[in-house]
Amino acid sequence: MIKRITCRVREYQKELFFESQKQWSRLHSVKGFIGQLGGWRYDPNLTACVFAFWETRKDYDLFMEKTHDEIFFDSAQGSTYSSIEVQLYEGFGSALNSAGEMSDLIRQSQYIRVTVGQGEEDKKENSDNTQEATWNSGRAAAQGLIGGTYAFSQQEVNQFLVLTGWKDEISYRKNLESDFSLTSAEEPLKDFVEIKTEGMHVENAWRVLKKSGL
């Protein structure tokens, strides 16, 4: 499961938000947690985006019930942004075949690119199948691509997310000119009526990895 958190931050709140986000390092020992990363989105507004990865929805729900509020209130993060949006995505697939490979994406990525599409019900299965074929054939050809994953929203009907992790932004830019590019990976989204994209450098201070041995 993927949790996508988007926070609009005012300029005077930026440093406070940055510091409060670091408090989520406590996630590393929570059952079912795989990892978390995020950064500042490239857009005219000051927007922080964070992505948390969980093994199952049950693990996530238990975390929300027992642990989330304690970390949230201890960090005082509620006073560091002007608005927040949370989306949950499940049923994802990719060339990443295990939680260990997903951890590599979280551990190694220095740049992430996200595309969100909104479309019709009859496009969902075709998009899923095409994504799988695209990643399996193109992963090795894309220089600097750590990995990618995709999922469907549990709140918005037929909303579709593609997330890729890169060695750096230069690798991503070079990849746009290669035979396998993010354009290819997003091909299934061409039938979707609404598409939004975002790119960001990963804030290393916000990166959280699952504690070894858990």
Side-chain angles (χ1 to χ4, degrees):
M1 199 200 81
I2 304 173
K3 182 178 184 178
R4 176 177 179 246
I5 310 108
T6 305
C7 296
R8 184 71 56 81
V9 180
R10 296 187 174 93
E11 189 63 40
Y12 73 88
Q13 298 172 309
K14 185 176 182 180
E15 185 175 348
L16 292 173
F17 183 91
F18 180 89
E19 291 299 322
S20 65
Q21 184 58 41
K22 289 162 58 176
Q23 302 305 309
W24 292 95
S25 62
R26 292 160 61 180
L27 283 167
H28 78 288
S29 59
V30 176
K31 181 182 181 298
F33 175 73
I34 298 173
Q36 180 171 281
L37 78 173
W40 298 101
R41 189 167 71 191
Y42 292 0
D43 63 19
N45 301 301
L46 189 55
T47 306
C49 292
V50 178
F51 298 87
F53 301 84
W54 294 84
E55 293 180 8
T56 68
R57 179 62 184 266
K58 182 179 179 180
D59 291 327
Y60 169 74
D61 288 342
L62 188 63
F63 156 70
M64 291 298 296
E65 178 184 344
K66 295 185 175 297
T67 311
H68 174 275
D69 288 357
E70 179 182 346
I71 300 175
F72 180 75
F73 289 118
D74 285 352
S75 70
Q77 193 167 35
S79 62
T80 67
Y81 54 79
S82 58
S83 66
I84 185 171
E85 179 182 350
V86 176
Q87 287 284 342
L88 301 178
Y89 298 87
E90 286 188 282
F92 62 89
S94 66
L96 303 172
N97 297 316
S98 69
E101 288 185 89
M102 179 62 76
S103 295
D104 288 341
L105 183 152
I106 299 165
R107 180 181 297 105
Q108 300 174 24
S109 299
Q110 293 297 329
Y111 180 82
I112 51 178
R113 172 64 142 66
V114 177
T115 296
V116 177
Q118 188 77 35
E120 301 172 3
E121 178 62 32
D122 60 359
K123 306 295 184 183
K124 180 175 179 178
E125 181 176 357
N126 179 63
S127 295
D128 193 31
N129 292 338
T130 306
Q131 277 285 330
E132 194 72 34
T134 299
W135 287 119
N136 288 340
S137 64
R139 185 185 186 191
Q143 297 296 314
L145 175 64
I146 306 300
T149 188
Y150 58 97
F152 290 94
S153 172
Q154 297 303 291
Q155 296 143 289
E156 302 293 335
V157 177
N158 304 322
Q159 188 181 97
F160 183 95
L161 175 144
V162 179
L163 182 148
T164 50
W166 299 83
K167 177 182 176 182
D168 49 38
E169 185 176 3
I170 293 174
S171 298
Y172 163 71
R173 298 296 174 189
K174 287 182 177 179
N175 178 68
L176 294 176
E177 302 173 0
S178 68
D179 292 335
F180 172 78
S181 70
L182 198 56
T183 302
S184 301
E186 291 167 354
E187 178 66 16
L189 295 178
K190 65 183 174 51
D191 294 322
F192 282 57
V193 297
E194 181 180 341
I195 291 180
K196 298 178 182 179
T197 61
E198 55 196 41
M200 66 202 75
H201 292 282
V202 173
E203 290 282 2
N204 286 317
W206 296 354
R207 196 190 309 267
V208 186
L209 301 172
K210 180 179 180 178
K211 185 177 182 179
S212 178
L214 291 180

